[in-house]
Amino acid sequence: MCDLMWSDPDDINGWATNQRGAGYTFGADIVQKFNQENNLQLICRAHQLVMEGYKVMFNDQLVTVWSAPNYCYRCGNVASILELDENLNKSYKIFEAAPQEAKGTPAESKNIPDYFL
């Protein structure tokens, strides 16, 4: 399971070494087998940058969700949140990074809890 979660999906069959030098890449056949053997419908993963915020692959059996807009303050990507309703219907909320002028530090408060001291 670790290799499946920390490796990257790709348009291949089986497993291959990952160009990043760590983990592997895996194809639709691996996802199909894993989902079938574990009685799953969807693998949702989140550790790979997706410029569009999310990417659905392999006949809707795998999705990568990326929730850090403008990653590292330089990638220019949007981000998303996956929402599932009570019937497991999926919807994606897309959002962009906050405008530069809206960024800053939280307002100072005189009531700082002891655990932050």
Side-chain angles (χ1 to χ4, degrees), residues 3 6 16-17 39 45 60 92 115:
D3 284 336
W6 289 102
T17 55
N39 197 29
R45 54 188 299 279
D60 207 26
Y92 299 91
Y115 54 84

Side-chain angles (χ1 to χ4, degrees), residues 10-16 25-30:
D10 201 356
D11 292 323
I12 62 169
N13 287 318
W15 294 93
T25 59
F26 57 89
D29 57 332
I30 301 299

Side-chain angles (χ1 to χ4, degrees), residues 64-81:
T64 300
V65 178
W66 187 257
S67 61
N70 195 26
Y71 184 59
C72 292
Y73 305 104
R74 62 186 169 100
C75 288
N77 62 289
V78 296
S80 70
I81 296 171

Side-chain angles (χ1 to χ4, degrees), residues 26-64:
F26 57 89
D29 57 332
I30 301 299
V31 170
Q32 169 65 35
K33 182 178 179 185
F34 182 86
N35 284 353
Q36 184 175 8
E37 289 181 4
N38 292 284
N39 197 29
L40 298 173
Q41 295 177 9
L42 178 69
I43 297 170
C44 181
R45 54 188 299 279
H47 80 279
Q48 184 180 19
L49 173 62
V50 180
M51 295 302 290
E52 302 83 10
Y54 71 95
K55 183 175 182 181
V56 177
M57 297 181 72
F58 310 141
N59 295 319
D60 207 26
Q61 294 186 81
L62 180 139
V63 62
T64 300

